[in-house]
Amino acid sequence: PGAPATTGVPPPAPAPAPPAPPKRTVPNRVAPTLDARAEARKQNRKILAERTNARLAEQRAAAAAAKEERERSRRHDVAYEEHARAARDERAAKEARLELARQYNRLARLHRDRATLLWRGLKPWVVFYETRRAASRKASRWHADGLVQRIFGTWCAWRERRRAAVIARQTRILARAAATASTASCRPPFRRWVDETAEILARGCEVQRRREAGALTARWASWRLRFERARLKRRERELAAAAAGRRYELRTRLRAWRAFLVA
C-alpha cells in the first residue's frame, strides 16, 4: 500500500541509432570485387542485427506479456483468496449467530419449563396442601369441641335428674316420717331422730355426690386423655402420610425433571 502499482511491462527498448554516413573514400579501382564483398558483408551484418533486435524485441514483449499475465493471475488469486476469506468469515459469523440464538432458545425453554414447574406445579400444590391441612385441623377441633359439648350437656342433665330424684325421695321419706311422728307420743325424740336421719342422709348424699363427682372427673380425665392420645396418633399418622406423599411427589417431580434435562 502506498507504492505505485506496477504493470509488469518492461520499458521500451531505445531505438537504434541511425547509421553513420559512409565516409567518402576513394573508390578501389584496382579490386572492386573486395569492396562489393565488404559492402555485402556489411549489409548482411545489418540485416542480422535488425533480425536479432526484432527477435529480442519480440522476446522482451513476450516476457513482458507473460509477466503481466502472471501479475494479473496473482492479483486474481489474491482477490479470490480475499473473497473466499470474507465468505468464510461471514459464514463463521452467521454460524456463531445461529449457535448463540440456539443457546438462547434452549436457555429460554429451560427457564420456561422451570417456571412452569415452580409456579404451576409446586406452588399450587403447596398452597393446596396447606389449605387442606388447615381445613382438616379446623374440622378436627370443631368435631372435638362439639363432642365435648354434647358429653358435658348430657352429664349435666343426668346430674340434675339424679339430684331431683334424690331430693324427691328424701322429701317423701321426711314427709312420711313427719306424718308418723305427728301421731306418735314421742314426737320430740322422733323429731330428733328425723333430724339426725335427715342430717345423716344429707351427709351420705353429699359423700355420694362427692364420690360421683370424683368418679365423673376421673372418667372425664381418662376420656380426655384417651381422646388426646387418639388425636395425637391420628395426627402422627396424618403427618407420616403427608410426609410420605411429599417425598413421593418430590421424587416423582425430580425424576421427571432429570428425565427432561437428560432429554
Side-chain angles (χ1 to χ4, degrees), residues 2-68:
T6 58
T7 59
V9 180
K23 296 181 179 180
R24 298 182 64 181
T25 58
V26 179
N28 189 0
R29 300 181 184 276
V30 179
T33 305
L34 297 176
D35 295 336
R37 290 179 180 176
E39 186 66 25
R41 286 196 296 271
K42 185 184 295 184
Q43 291 294 330
N44 289 334
R45 284 196 298 273
K46 183 177 180 181
I47 292 172
L48 289 178
E50 291 178 354
R51 290 179 181 177
T52 302
N53 291 331
R55 188 169 57 253
L56 291 176
E58 290 178 358
Q59 289 178 358
R60 284 194 296 270
K67 186 175 181 180
E68 178 66 22

Side-chain angles (χ1 to χ4, degrees), residues 148-166:
V148 170
Q149 184 178 3
R150 287 193 295 272
I151 291 174
F152 187 74
T154 304
W155 176 76
C156 290
W158 171 80
R159 185 173 179 274
E160 291 295 331
R161 288 195 303 269
R162 182 176 177 81
R163 183 179 179 184
V166 170

Side-chain angles (χ1 to χ4, degrees), residues 78-252:
V78 170
Y80 180 78
E81 288 294 333
E82 291 180 355
H83 179 72
R85 189 183 303 109
R88 286 195 300 270
D89 295 339
E90 184 177 359
R91 286 196 298 271
K94 186 176 181 180
E95 289 295 332
R97 290 194 299 270
L98 291 177
E99 182 63 26
L100 184 61
R102 285 193 290 268
Q103 291 179 3
Y104 282 159
N105 192 11
R106 286 196 296 270
L107 184 61
R109 286 199 300 269
L110 181 61
H111 281 295
R112 184 200 62 187
D113 295 337
R114 289 182 177 177
T116 303
L117 177 63
L118 178 62
W119 295 103
R120 296 188 179 180
L122 294 179
K123 290 290 185 180
W125 179 79
V126 169
V127 172
F128 169 73
Y129 177 74
E130 292 294 336
T131 306
R132 184 176 178 183
R133 185 172 64 178
S136 176
R137 189 179 303 167
K138 184 177 180 181
S140 299
R141 286 199 299 267
W142 183 272
H143 176 70
D145 294 340
L147 183 61
V148 170
Q149 184 178 3
R150 287 193 295 272
I151 291 174
F152 187 74
T154 304
W155 176 76
C156 290
W158 171 80
R159 185 173 179 274
E160 291 295 331
R161 288 195 303 269
R162 182 176 177 81
R163 183 179 179 184
V166 170
I167 292 174
R169 187 161 79 72
Q170 291 177 359
T171 303
R172 287 194 304 271
I173 291 173
L174 292 176
R176 193 180 300 115
T180 304
S182 63
T183 60
S185 58
C186 54
R187 185 172 295 175
F190 186 72
R191 186 179 292 113
R192 284 194 304 271
W193 177 80
V194 171
D195 295 337
E196 291 176 0
T197 303
E199 185 179 357
I200 291 171
L201 289 176
R203 290 178 181 177
C205 290
E206 182 66 24
V207 171
Q208 184 66 25
R209 187 184 65 79
R210 290 182 180 178
R211 288 180 180 177
E212 289 176 357
L216 185 60
T217 303
R219 190 177 297 109
W220 171 249
S222 65
W223 287 353
R224 186 177 181 84
L225 182 60
R226 185 182 304 170
F227 176 75
E228 288 295 330
R229 288 178 179 173
R231 188 175 66 83
L232 289 177
K233 289 183 180 179
R234 186 169 61 254
R235 179 61 181 166
E236 289 177 358
R237 289 195 298 270
E238 290 178 358
L239 291 177
R246 286 196 301 271
R247 288 194 300 271
Y248 177 76
E249 185 71 19
L250 183 59
R251 286 196 301 270
T252 305

